[in-house]
Every structure is written in structure tokens, then in C-alpha cells.
Amino acid sequence: MDSNLFKTKSIEQLVGDVEHGSKALKRSLTAWDLTLLGIGAIIGTGIFVLTGTAAANQAGPAITMSYLAAGLACAFAALCYAEFASMIPIAGSAYTYAYATLGELIAWMIGWDLILEYAVGSMTVAIGWSGYMQRLMAGFGLTVPVWLGAPPPVGIINLPAVLIVLAIMMLLVIGIRESARFNAAMVAIKMAAVLFFIAAGSMYVEPTNWQPYAPYGWPGIMAAAAVVFFAYIGFDAVSTTAEEAKNPQRDLPIGIIASLIICTVLYLAVGAVLSGIVPVVHYRSLEQALPGVPMIAADESVKFLNAPVAYALSVIGQDWAAGLVSAGAVAGITSVLLVMLMSQPRIFFAMSRDRLLPPGVSIVHPRFGTPYITTIITCVIVSICAGLLPIQDAGEMTSIGTLFAFVVVCAAVLRLRITRPDAPRSFKVPFGPVFPVLGILSCGYLMLSLPIVTWIRFLGWLDLGMLIYWFYGRSHSPLADKREAEARTPLQSVANFITAFGLLLIFNAACITVLGYMTEFGITNETTAKWFEIGVTAEQADAFGLRLLAAAIAVWVVGFGLSKASGEK
């Protein structure tokens, strides 16, 4: 196998390549800017949309427990991110941290995963922004024609979604400082809207709406926690701007931890007030999820699920307040989209700078100091997809990508404590290995609580990424040994590919088997795992997983045997 697959870049090399190279980004962000960027990404679609949908379909009034569980898992990961961000203050986030600790192959997997996380999340948020903006415009008597306001087959293109992405693209190209100022304004508006909802709605809370508190049981609470995890990716986004922080060793930990604490408190308050105003489970999508529990008419249910916070205020006769909250939601979702579209190009930029992706796109604008080519590529693709595709379940896709990155970062902290105990750390995760281990366990458990379709899409994306790495990134990496590659015979190359393919199949089979057994053992259930969406039962899935695992191990043994027989080291 190629020796560079598990090679790492030292912290000194990673930082030195940036500081002494020609592709460094401009440092202009303060701790206040970073905190606001975190809040900008966290408070948005999650609080204005996912709170209602997860409460109705997964957790019920126990949505507060779901947010608490997700926030606790995030807290463990956030501390690990803060330690890394203070040590390696350059672009790339979890991708860069993995490169420094776990090796190039794992770094590639995380980078590829983060590209999906932010791209799909951006598409979803852009579509959500379009929906809220069209509702807000309708309140002033302005309507967007259906053919311009919805994707096929309902319309031709979702033009508002396209336009907002392109407008943010121009802002991001002009400069990070200007983007941060715009984000600060949007954060102020949406924070006012959230606080207003909590204050106004708390006077109309009916405690009877909180009964039963957890109608879907513990699996429902954890399934909702996995879904609403989409709402917590803000502090992850803060770490992607590490290379643009003025004093990263001090300011990044402050921005990451402060934004998480503030937003968790707000999520808990909104979840409690929302579920106290309306009986959230009556607005669920599937009647069979809670047999015997009343359901609201389908058209009213759709209105609640699309804009639960504004809908709840309408129910209690506060239409004027619903209008104010809708305006705040537009501002909130705008800032989320800004931070997401800011983050993904920086992951793309870091991978290109390391030549795992084509190096021609990692160019810094000579005047603005921004990664403008990766920003333009990302925003154009996101705008096209947001305009033409009715994205479904994208919140879950973003959640699984985020959780996977968190697991790797927590593991990387443990690894670096062993390999580089003497490395300077201006911030260090307290209590030794306890919090990183709890981060791995809690985030891994939330991953396994997501629906099966989400896992299938996730595994498919990782498999595609591994093929790209094998046929491009592996050979173009600066860590690749050219003499080693030139000396390899065709048989050795084939043997290595079979071995790697076997390992990839083992990973896929193991995931399928574990997911099946979790439902069989009652850790998840059919309602939350949604095996019916792929037309199989959990028993059929784990039986298939075990057969695939046996076949995968056989493929790996053949490849390993050929490698040894051909003289490959």
C-alpha cells in the first residue's frame, strides 16, 4: 500500500506552509466577530424550522431533551475543536486537524464529508430562505409567480433561492471583514426575533400541551437530537475561519464555546415555549406514528411544519407578532447561509492547497485576500441546485456529516495527546481523555439514531470520495513517494486496489449490520429508523450486512495475499 495513506503533516509544517507560502488568507476577525459568526450559523433554520418538525415527528414536547442531548454532545466536540483551533490556526477545520494526527486518508474522508455537509446544508437553507421570503412578501401584497418561485415539476426555477446565493457570493468574494459586518447585522435582527417569541409566547403556554412529554419514547428523543444536530454546526464553521482570525490562539476558543452556550440556552427556551403553545404531536406527518392520538388537518400541518414559530403565534391570535418573527427568520436564515457558504469554500481551498484536489482553484484574491475561486465554484453549484432541486431530508444529511467530523476531531485530540504531548496548547480540553471519549460516544450514538436512508446516502458519498482519492488525490499528494510508485509492478497496483476495495466494503457492511441490530435490540425503532423507506426490515438488513461483511473480508484477504505474493511492503 502507498506509504502516504497514513502519513501526517506536522503542526509546524502545516502552519509553516501557510505563513511562508503565497496562499495565506487575510487575518481580520476578532473574538466578537467569531462569536457572532457562530451564532449566525447556529440560530436560523434549526430554531425557526427544525424545532417544530422534530417535535412533531420525533420527540414531542421532549424536544427540549433532544436539544439538551445534542448540545451536550456538541459541548464535548466544541472543547476538542477549541484545543485544535488554538494549536493549528489555519483554514480547513476538521480536515486539517485530521491531517496533523490521523493521516492523509482519514483527512481526505473528513474533507470530502465536510464538502457534502456544507454544500447540502447551503442548498437546504437557500430553499428555506426562499419560502420564508415569499411568505413575507405576500404579507405586503407581493407575490412571486409559481413558475419563478418553485423548482420542477411545480415551477421552472426557484429564483429567490438562486439570487440570494449569488448575492452572498459577491459579498464573500469582496472580503471576510465585510461579510462579518453583514452577519453581525443579521444576527442582531434574528436575536431580537427569537427573544421576542420567547417573551410573547411564554404568556400563552398551556402546561397540558406538554403531556405526554415523550410520546415517542427515548428513541424518539435521540432521533430528534440527531436531526436537530443540523442546527449546531455553527461552532464548526467558526473553526474554518481560523486562518482569518487576528489572535486565533485566544479568540477561536472564545468564539466556539461562547456561541455554543448562548445558542443552546435559546434553543431550550424556544422548544419549551413552542411545545407549550401548541400540541406539537397533533401536527405530525404520519398518523400511524402515534395511533389514537389526534391529528390536525393536513393543510394546517404543512403550515406548521414549514414555519412552526410563526404558526404558533398565529394560533394564539398574534398575527402581527408572527409577521415580526417571519422577518427575523429571513434575517436568521440569511446569516446561516452566509456562514455556510463561507465555510465550504475554505475546506475546498485547504484540500486544493494540499493538492488532494486540483491546485489551480486554491488562489487568493490579490486585493480582497479571499479564496475567491473556490467561493465562486461553490456558490454557482449551490445556486443551481437550490433553484432546480426540491431538496428533501437535507437537514439529516448535514447532521450525519457534522457528527462524523466531530467523532474524528475528538479521536484526533486523543491521538495528538499521545504523539505530541509536548506541543504548546493555549487551550486544553479539561479532565484528560474523559471529554474526548464522551464526545466520540455521544456523537457516534446520535449518528446511529439517524434514518437509514440518510446512512445510505452518506455511505454512497464516502465511497465516491474514496474512489476520487484513490485515482487522483493519492498520487498528487505532496506526501506521495514517487520512487515508491515508479517501482510498483502492475500486479502490485492491482493487489493494492483489491485490498483497499475490500476495506471499503468492510466499512459499509459493518455500518449496515450495526444499524440493523440496533433496531432489533430496541435501541432504535422502526418509526425513527424508517426501514420502510427502503422496503426492508431490520432483520433483513443485518442478515444482508453479515453476508456482505463475509464477502468483504474475503475480498480483503485476496488482495492482502496478492500484495504479499507480489512482494509489496
Side-chain angles (χ1 to χ4, degrees), residues 469-497:
Y469 173 76
W470 187 265
F471 291 109
Y472 180 86
R474 178 177 61 102
S475 56
H476 289 78
S477 165
L479 301 183
D481 189 331
K482 293 184 178 179
R483 288 178 298 178
E484 179 185 70
E486 291 170 355
R488 184 172 292 120
T489 66
L491 178 60
Q492 289 172 336
S493 296
V494 171
N496 283 347
F497 177 76

PDB file of all heavy atoms in Angstrom, residues 469-497:
ATOM      1  N   TYR A 469     -10.164   9.884  -4.354  1.00  0.00           N
ATOM      2  CA  TYR A 469      -8.861   9.932  -3.690  1.00  0.00           C
ATOM      3  C   TYR A 469      -7.921   8.879  -4.274  1.00  0.00           C
ATOM      4  O   TYR A 469      -6.746   9.150  -4.522  1.00  0.00           O
ATOM      5  CB  TYR A 469      -9.016   9.704  -2.185  1.00  0.00           C
ATOM      6  CG  TYR A 469      -7.680   9.574  -1.481  1.00  0.00           C
ATOM      7  CD1 TYR A 469      -6.908  10.702  -1.242  1.00  0.00           C
ATOM      8  CD2 TYR A 469      -7.191   8.326  -1.090  1.00  0.00           C
ATOM      9  CE1 TYR A 469      -5.672  10.589  -0.609  1.00  0.00           C
ATOM     10  CE2 TYR A 469      -5.962   8.207  -0.464  1.00  0.00           C
ATOM     11  CZ  TYR A 469      -5.204   9.337  -0.227  1.00  0.00           C
ATOM     12  OH  TYR A 469      -3.972   9.212   0.385  1.00  0.00           O
ATOM     13  N   TRP A 470      -8.430   7.672  -4.498  1.00  0.00           N
ATOM     14  CA  TRP A 470      -7.557   6.592  -4.956  1.00  0.00           C
ATOM     15  C   TRP A 470      -6.976   6.898  -6.339  1.00  0.00           C
ATOM     16  O   TRP A 470      -5.801   6.637  -6.589  1.00  0.00           O
ATOM     17  CB  TRP A 470      -8.329   5.278  -4.980  1.00  0.00           C
ATOM     18  CG  TRP A 470      -7.443   4.099  -5.289  1.00  0.00           C
ATOM     19  CD1 TRP A 470      -7.232   3.524  -6.503  1.00  0.00           C
ATOM     20  CD2 TRP A 470      -6.628   3.386  -4.358  1.00  0.00           C
ATOM     21  NE1 TRP A 470      -6.339   2.489  -6.395  1.00  0.00           N
ATOM     22  CE2 TRP A 470      -5.945   2.383  -5.083  1.00  0.00           C
ATOM     23  CE3 TRP A 470      -6.417   3.496  -2.992  1.00  0.00           C
ATOM     24  CZ2 TRP A 470      -5.066   1.504  -4.479  1.00  0.00           C
ATOM     25  CZ3 TRP A 470      -5.536   2.614  -2.381  1.00  0.00           C
ATOM     26  CH2 TRP A 470      -4.880   1.628  -3.127  1.00  0.00           C
ATOM     27  N   PHE A 471      -7.816   7.453  -7.217  1.00  0.00           N
ATOM     28  CA  PHE A 471      -7.366   7.662  -8.598  1.00  0.00           C
ATOM     29  C   PHE A 471      -6.807   9.066  -8.859  1.00  0.00           C
ATOM     30  O   PHE A 471      -6.255   9.301  -9.932  1.00  0.00           O
ATOM     31  CB  PHE A 471      -8.522   7.385  -9.572  1.00  0.00           C
ATOM     32  CG  PHE A 471      -8.905   5.930  -9.634  1.00  0.00           C
ATOM     33  CD1 PHE A 471     -10.098   5.490  -9.081  1.00  0.00           C
ATOM     34  CD2 PHE A 471      -8.063   4.999 -10.209  1.00  0.00           C
ATOM     35  CE1 PHE A 471     -10.449   4.154  -9.127  1.00  0.00           C
ATOM     36  CE2 PHE A 471      -8.404   3.653 -10.260  1.00  0.00           C
ATOM     37  CZ  PHE A 471      -9.599   3.225  -9.717  1.00  0.00           C
ATOM     38  N   TYR A 472      -6.937  10.007  -7.887  1.00  0.00           N
ATOM     39  CA  TYR A 472      -6.366  11.337  -8.099  1.00  0.00           C
ATOM     40  C   TYR A 472      -5.548  11.813  -6.898  1.00  0.00           C
ATOM     41  O   TYR A 472      -4.330  11.998  -6.993  1.00  0.00           O
ATOM     42  CB  TYR A 472      -7.458  12.376  -8.408  1.00  0.00           C
ATOM     43  CG  TYR A 472      -6.877  13.761  -8.618  1.00  0.00           C
ATOM     44  CD1 TYR A 472      -6.419  14.152  -9.871  1.00  0.00           C
ATOM     45  CD2 TYR A 472      -6.762  14.667  -7.558  1.00  0.00           C
ATOM     46  CE1 TYR A 472      -5.854  15.409 -10.059  1.00  0.00           C
ATOM     47  CE2 TYR A 472      -6.195  15.917  -7.738  1.00  0.00           C
ATOM     48  CZ  TYR A 472      -5.746  16.288  -8.990  1.00  0.00           C
ATOM     49  OH  TYR A 472      -5.175  17.521  -9.170  1.00  0.00           O
ATOM     50  N   GLY A 473      -6.202  12.027  -5.768  1.00  0.00           N
ATOM     51  CA  GLY A 473      -5.532  12.638  -4.621  1.00  0.00           C
ATOM     52  C   GLY A 473      -4.335  11.856  -4.123  1.00  0.00           C
ATOM     53  O   GLY A 473      -3.311  12.441  -3.746  1.00  0.00           O
ATOM     54  N   ARG A 474      -4.423  10.539  -4.125  1.00  0.00           N
ATOM     55  CA  ARG A 474      -3.337   9.689  -3.615  1.00  0.00           C
ATOM     56  C   ARG A 474      -2.033   9.932  -4.357  1.00  0.00           C
ATOM     57  O   ARG A 474      -0.964  10.012  -3.752  1.00  0.00           O
ATOM     58  CB  ARG A 474      -3.767   8.226  -3.760  1.00  0.00           C
ATOM     59  CG  ARG A 474      -2.761   7.182  -3.322  1.00  0.00           C
ATOM     60  CD  ARG A 474      -3.384   5.815  -3.457  1.00  0.00           C
ATOM     61  NE  ARG A 474      -3.757   5.539  -4.835  1.00  0.00           N
ATOM     62  CZ  ARG A 474      -3.061   4.757  -5.670  1.00  0.00           C
ATOM     63  NH1 ARG A 474      -1.948   4.183  -5.253  1.00  0.00           N
ATOM     64  NH2 ARG A 474      -3.475   4.539  -6.892  1.00  0.00           N
ATOM     65  N   SER A 475      -2.117  10.072  -5.682  1.00  0.00           N
ATOM     66  CA  SER A 475      -0.898  10.231  -6.484  1.00  0.00           C
ATOM     67  C   SER A 475      -0.421  11.680  -6.570  1.00  0.00           C
ATOM     68  O   SER A 475       0.753  11.943  -6.831  1.00  0.00           O
ATOM     69  CB  SER A 475      -1.118   9.688  -7.901  1.00  0.00           C
ATOM     70  OG  SER A 475      -2.226  10.329  -8.509  1.00  0.00           O
ATOM     71  N   HIS A 476      -1.326  12.648  -6.358  1.00  0.00           N
ATOM     72  CA  HIS A 476      -0.940  14.055  -6.446  1.00  0.00           C
ATOM     73  C   HIS A 476      -0.534  14.638  -5.095  1.00  0.00           C
ATOM     74  O   HIS A 476      -0.070  15.782  -5.037  1.00  0.00           O
ATOM     75  CB  HIS A 476      -2.092  14.883  -7.020  1.00  0.00           C
ATOM     76  CG  HIS A 476      -2.331  14.641  -8.483  1.00  0.00           C
ATOM     77  ND1 HIS A 476      -2.987  13.531  -8.959  1.00  0.00           N
ATOM     78  CD2 HIS A 476      -1.981  15.362  -9.575  1.00  0.00           C
ATOM     79  CE1 HIS A 476      -3.052  13.571 -10.273  1.00  0.00           C
ATOM     80  NE2 HIS A 476      -2.440  14.669 -10.675  1.00  0.00           N
ATOM     81  N   SER A 477      -0.696  13.886  -4.026  1.00  0.00           N
ATOM     82  CA  SER A 477      -0.390  14.375  -2.691  1.00  0.00           C
ATOM     83  C   SER A 477       1.083  14.749  -2.567  1.00  0.00           C
ATOM     84  O   SER A 477       1.962  14.071  -3.108  1.00  0.00           O
ATOM     85  CB  SER A 477      -0.715  13.296  -1.654  1.00  0.00           C
ATOM     86  OG  SER A 477      -0.127  13.595  -0.412  1.00  0.00           O
ATOM     87  N   PRO A 478       1.394  15.833  -1.844  1.00  0.00           N
ATOM     88  CA  PRO A 478       2.799  16.191  -1.611  1.00  0.00           C
ATOM     89  C   PRO A 478       3.525  15.154  -0.751  1.00  0.00           C
ATOM     90  O   PRO A 478       4.760  15.143  -0.714  1.00  0.00           O
ATOM     91  CB  PRO A 478       2.707  17.545  -0.897  1.00  0.00           C
ATOM     92  CG  PRO A 478       1.343  17.576  -0.294  1.00  0.00           C
ATOM     93  CD  PRO A 478       0.471  16.804  -1.230  1.00  0.00           C
ATOM     94  N   LEU A 479       2.784  14.293  -0.078  1.00  0.00           N
ATOM     95  CA  LEU A 479       3.398  13.244   0.735  1.00  0.00           C
ATOM     96  C   LEU A 479       3.647  11.958  -0.054  1.00  0.00           C
ATOM     97  O   LEU A 479       4.243  11.016   0.474  1.00  0.00           O
ATOM     98  CB  LEU A 479       2.494  12.931   1.936  1.00  0.00           C
ATOM     99  CG  LEU A 479       2.177  14.093   2.888  1.00  0.00           C
ATOM    100  CD1 LEU A 479       1.328  13.603   4.056  1.00  0.00           C
ATOM    101  CD2 LEU A 479       3.445  14.755   3.395  1.00  0.00           C
ATOM    102  N   ALA A 480       3.186  11.913  -1.298  1.00  0.00           N
ATOM    103  CA  ALA A 480       3.353  10.699  -2.104  1.00  0.00           C
ATOM    104  C   ALA A 480       4.830  10.477  -2.422  1.00  0.00           C
ATOM    105  O   ALA A 480       5.578  11.416  -2.706  1.00  0.00           O
ATOM    106  CB  ALA A 480       2.549  10.817  -3.393  1.00  0.00           C
ATOM    107  N   ASP A 481       5.245   9.228  -2.385  1.00  0.00           N
ATOM    108  CA  ASP A 481       6.622   8.837  -2.699  1.00  0.00           C
ATOM    109  C   ASP A 481       6.681   8.408  -4.163  1.00  0.00           C
ATOM    110  O   ASP A 481       6.215   7.317  -4.522  1.00  0.00           O
ATOM    111  CB  ASP A 481       7.054   7.691  -1.777  1.00  0.00           C
ATOM    112  CG  ASP A 481       8.540   7.373  -1.897  1.00  0.00           C
ATOM    113  OD1 ASP A 481       9.108   7.598  -2.980  1.00  0.00           O
ATOM    114  OD2 ASP A 481       9.120   6.896  -0.899  1.00  0.00           O
ATOM    115  N   LYS A 482       7.236   9.255  -5.020  1.00  0.00           N
ATOM    116  CA  LYS A 482       7.268   8.961  -6.463  1.00  0.00           C
ATOM    117  C   LYS A 482       8.107   7.736  -6.770  1.00  0.00           C
ATOM    118  O   LYS A 482       7.762   6.934  -7.650  1.00  0.00           O
ATOM    119  CB  LYS A 482       7.793  10.174  -7.226  1.00  0.00           C
ATOM    120  CG  LYS A 482       6.859  11.384  -7.188  1.00  0.00           C
ATOM    121  CD  LYS A 482       7.400  12.515  -8.048  1.00  0.00           C
ATOM    122  CE  LYS A 482       6.421  13.692  -8.042  1.00  0.00           C
ATOM    123  NZ  LYS A 482       6.920  14.834  -8.863  1.00  0.00           N
ATOM    124  N   ARG A 483       9.209   7.570  -6.064  1.00  0.00           N
ATOM    125  CA  ARG A 483      10.057   6.391  -6.326  1.00  0.00           C
ATOM    126  C   ARG A 483       9.322   5.104  -5.959  1.00  0.00           C
ATOM    127  O   ARG A 483       9.447   4.090  -6.641  1.00  0.00           O
ATOM    128  CB  ARG A 483      11.355   6.509  -5.517  1.00  0.00           C
ATOM    129  CG  ARG A 483      12.314   7.575  -6.046  1.00  0.00           C
ATOM    130  CD  ARG A 483      13.546   7.689  -5.191  1.00  0.00           C
ATOM    131  NE  ARG A 483      13.220   8.094  -3.824  1.00  0.00           N
ATOM    132  CZ  ARG A 483      14.119   8.240  -2.850  1.00  0.00           C
ATOM    133  NH1 ARG A 483      15.409   7.992  -3.092  1.00  0.00           N
ATOM    134  NH2 ARG A 483      13.756   8.622  -1.643  1.00  0.00           N
ATOM    135  N   GLU A 484       8.570   5.161  -4.912  1.00  0.00           N
ATOM    136  CA  GLU A 484       7.773   4.005  -4.499  1.00  0.00           C
ATOM    137  C   GLU A 484       6.750   3.652  -5.581  1.00  0.00           C
ATOM    138  O   GLU A 484       6.563   2.483  -5.925  1.00  0.00           O
ATOM    139  CB  GLU A 484       7.070   4.321  -3.178  1.00  0.00           C
ATOM    140  CG  GLU A 484       6.181   3.219  -2.640  1.00  0.00           C
ATOM    141  CD  GLU A 484       5.435   3.660  -1.391  1.00  0.00           C
ATOM    142  OE1 GLU A 484       4.529   4.514  -1.511  1.00  0.00           O
ATOM    143  OE2 GLU A 484       5.769   3.158  -0.299  1.00  0.00           O
ATOM    144  N   ALA A 485       6.078   4.672  -6.118  1.00  0.00           N
ATOM    145  CA  ALA A 485       5.070   4.440  -7.153  1.00  0.00           C
ATOM    146  C   ALA A 485       5.690   3.911  -8.439  1.00  0.00           C
ATOM    147  O   ALA A 485       5.137   3.021  -9.098  1.00  0.00           O
ATOM    148  CB  ALA A 485       4.312   5.736  -7.427  1.00  0.00           C
ATOM    149  N   GLU A 486       6.842   4.461  -8.826  1.00  0.00           N
ATOM    150  CA  GLU A 486       7.502   4.023 -10.066  1.00  0.00           C
ATOM    151  C   GLU A 486       8.011   2.595  -9.964  1.00  0.00           C
ATOM    152  O   GLU A 486       8.062   1.876 -10.971  1.00  0.00           O
ATOM    153  CB  GLU A 486       8.653   4.974 -10.387  1.00  0.00           C
ATOM    154  CG  GLU A 486       8.186   6.372 -10.798  1.00  0.00           C
ATOM    155  CD  GLU A 486       9.335   7.370 -10.885  1.00  0.00           C
ATOM    156  OE1 GLU A 486      10.483   6.974 -10.523  1.00  0.00           O
ATOM    157  OE2 GLU A 486       9.094   8.519 -11.296  1.00  0.00           O
ATOM    158  N   ALA A 487       8.369   2.172  -8.763  1.00  0.00           N
ATOM    159  CA  ALA A 487       8.904   0.820  -8.583  1.00  0.00           C
ATOM    160  C   ALA A 487       7.811  -0.242  -8.477  1.00  0.00           C
ATOM    161  O   ALA A 487       8.092  -1.437  -8.582  1.00  0.00           O
ATOM    162  CB  ALA A 487       9.781   0.775  -7.327  1.00  0.00           C
ATOM    163  N   ARG A 488       6.577   0.184  -8.335  1.00  0.00           N
ATOM    164  CA  ARG A 488       5.480  -0.777  -8.143  1.00  0.00           C
ATOM    165  C   ARG A 488       5.114  -1.450  -9.463  1.00  0.00           C
ATOM    166  O   ARG A 488       4.942  -0.794 -10.490  1.00  0.00           O
ATOM    167  CB  ARG A 488       4.274  -0.053  -7.549  1.00  0.00           C
ATOM    168  CG  ARG A 488       3.109  -0.979  -7.208  1.00  0.00           C
ATOM    169  CD  ARG A 488       2.017  -0.244  -6.446  1.00  0.00           C
ATOM    170  NE  ARG A 488       2.454   0.148  -5.117  1.00  0.00           N
ATOM    171  CZ  ARG A 488       2.510   1.395  -4.668  1.00  0.00           C
ATOM    172  NH1 ARG A 488       2.151   2.382  -5.463  1.00  0.00           N
ATOM    173  NH2 ARG A 488       2.928   1.656  -3.451  1.00  0.00           N
ATOM    174  N   THR A 489       4.944  -2.756  -9.447  1.00  0.00           N
ATOM    175  CA  THR A 489       4.562  -3.504 -10.646  1.00  0.00           C
ATOM    176  C   THR A 489       3.045  -3.424 -10.855  1.00  0.00           C
ATOM    177  O   THR A 489       2.306  -3.116  -9.916  1.00  0.00           O
ATOM    178  CB  THR A 489       4.966  -4.975 -10.506  1.00  0.00           C
ATOM    179  OG1 THR A 489       4.194  -5.575  -9.458  1.00  0.00           O
ATOM    180  CG2 THR A 489       6.445  -5.118 -10.193  1.00  0.00           C
ATOM    181  N   PRO A 490       2.562  -3.729 -12.079  1.00  0.00           N
ATOM    182  CA  PRO A 490       1.109  -3.739 -12.305  1.00  0.00           C
ATOM    183  C   PRO A 490       0.371  -4.677 -11.359  1.00  0.00           C
ATOM    184  O   PRO A 490      -0.728  -4.359 -10.894  1.00  0.00           O
ATOM    185  CB  PRO A 490       0.991  -4.193 -13.762  1.00  0.00           C
ATOM    186  CG  PRO A 490       2.268  -3.728 -14.402  1.00  0.00           C
ATOM    187  CD  PRO A 490       3.314  -3.906 -13.339  1.00  0.00           C
ATOM    188  N   LEU A 491       0.957  -5.845 -11.072  1.00  0.00           N
ATOM    189  CA  LEU A 491       0.311  -6.786 -10.160  1.00  0.00           C
ATOM    190  C   LEU A 491       0.183  -6.197  -8.762  1.00  0.00           C
ATOM    191  O   LEU A 491      -0.852  -6.346  -8.105  1.00  0.00           O
ATOM    192  CB  LEU A 491       1.104  -8.096 -10.103  1.00  0.00           C
ATOM    193  CG  LEU A 491       0.555  -9.163  -9.124  1.00  0.00           C
ATOM    194  CD1 LEU A 491      -0.872  -9.553  -9.501  1.00  0.00           C
ATOM    195  CD2 LEU A 491       1.462 -10.388  -9.098  1.00  0.00           C
ATOM    196  N   GLN A 492       1.214  -5.514  -8.322  1.00  0.00           N
ATOM    197  CA  GLN A 492       1.159  -4.891  -7.001  1.00  0.00           C
ATOM    198  C   GLN A 492       0.091  -3.797  -6.943  1.00  0.00           C
ATOM    199  O   GLN A 492      -0.607  -3.649  -5.949  1.00  0.00           O
ATOM    200  CB  GLN A 492       2.533  -4.311  -6.646  1.00  0.00           C
ATOM    201  CG  GLN A 492       3.582  -5.373  -6.344  1.00  0.00           C
ATOM    202  CD  GLN A 492       4.974  -4.788  -6.175  1.00  0.00           C
ATOM    203  OE1 GLN A 492       5.260  -3.696  -6.694  1.00  0.00           O
ATOM    204  NE2 GLN A 492       5.836  -5.492  -5.477  1.00  0.00           N
ATOM    205  N   SER A 493      -0.055  -3.044  -8.032  1.00  0.00           N
ATOM    206  CA  SER A 493      -1.076  -1.991  -8.092  1.00  0.00           C
ATOM    207  C   SER A 493      -2.475  -2.591  -7.998  1.00  0.00           C
ATOM    208  O   SER A 493      -3.347  -2.083  -7.282  1.00  0.00           O
ATOM    209  CB  SER A 493      -0.933  -1.177  -9.383  1.00  0.00           C
ATOM    210  OG  SER A 493       0.305  -0.499  -9.412  1.00  0.00           O
ATOM    211  N   VAL A 494      -2.692  -3.678  -8.746  1.00  0.00           N
ATOM    212  CA  VAL A 494      -3.987  -4.353  -8.710  1.00  0.00           C
ATOM    213  C   VAL A 494      -4.260  -4.910  -7.313  1.00  0.00           C
ATOM    214  O   VAL A 494      -5.369  -4.789  -6.767  1.00  0.00           O
ATOM    215  CB  VAL A 494      -4.043  -5.471  -9.772  1.00  0.00           C
ATOM    216  CG1 VAL A 494      -5.301  -6.309  -9.583  1.00  0.00           C
ATOM    217  CG2 VAL A 494      -4.006  -4.886 -11.172  1.00  0.00           C
ATOM    218  N   ALA A 495      -3.250  -5.527  -6.711  1.00  0.00           N
ATOM    219  CA  ALA A 495      -3.401  -6.102  -5.375  1.00  0.00           C
ATOM    220  C   ALA A 495      -3.744  -5.027  -4.348  1.00  0.00           C
ATOM    221  O   ALA A 495      -4.603  -5.226  -3.479  1.00  0.00           O
ATOM    222  CB  ALA A 495      -2.120  -6.827  -4.969  1.00  0.00           C
ATOM    223  N   ASN A 496      -3.097  -3.880  -4.464  1.00  0.00           N
ATOM    224  CA  ASN A 496      -3.381  -2.783  -3.538  1.00  0.00           C
ATOM    225  C   ASN A 496      -4.816  -2.277  -3.691  1.00  0.00           C
ATOM    226  O   ASN A 496      -5.493  -1.973  -2.703  1.00  0.00           O
ATOM    227  CB  ASN A 496      -2.409  -1.621  -3.770  1.00  0.00           C
ATOM    228  CG  ASN A 496      -1.040  -1.903  -3.187  1.00  0.00           C
ATOM    229  OD1 ASN A 496      -0.855  -2.838  -2.414  1.00  0.00           O
ATOM    230  ND2 ASN A 496      -0.059  -1.104  -3.572  1.00  0.00           N
ATOM    231  N   PHE A 497      -5.282  -2.192  -4.933  1.00  0.00           N
ATOM    232  CA  PHE A 497      -6.642  -1.729  -5.169  1.00  0.00           C
ATOM    233  C   PHE A 497      -7.658  -2.712  -4.584  1.00  0.00           C
ATOM    234  O   PHE A 497      -8.639  -2.312  -3.949  1.00  0.00           O
ATOM    235  CB  PHE A 497      -6.906  -1.536  -6.661  1.00  0.00           C
ATOM    236  CG  PHE A 497      -8.325  -1.127  -6.962  1.00  0.00           C
ATOM    237  CD1 PHE A 497      -8.754   0.172  -6.731  1.00  0.00           C
ATOM    238  CD2 PHE A 497      -9.243  -2.058  -7.442  1.00  0.00           C
ATOM    239  CE1 PHE A 497     -10.064   0.545  -6.991  1.00  0.00           C
ATOM    240  CE2 PHE A 497     -10.564  -1.694  -7.704  1.00  0.00           C
ATOM    241  CZ  PHE A 497     -10.966  -0.380  -7.476  1.00  0.00           C
TER     242      PHE A 497
END
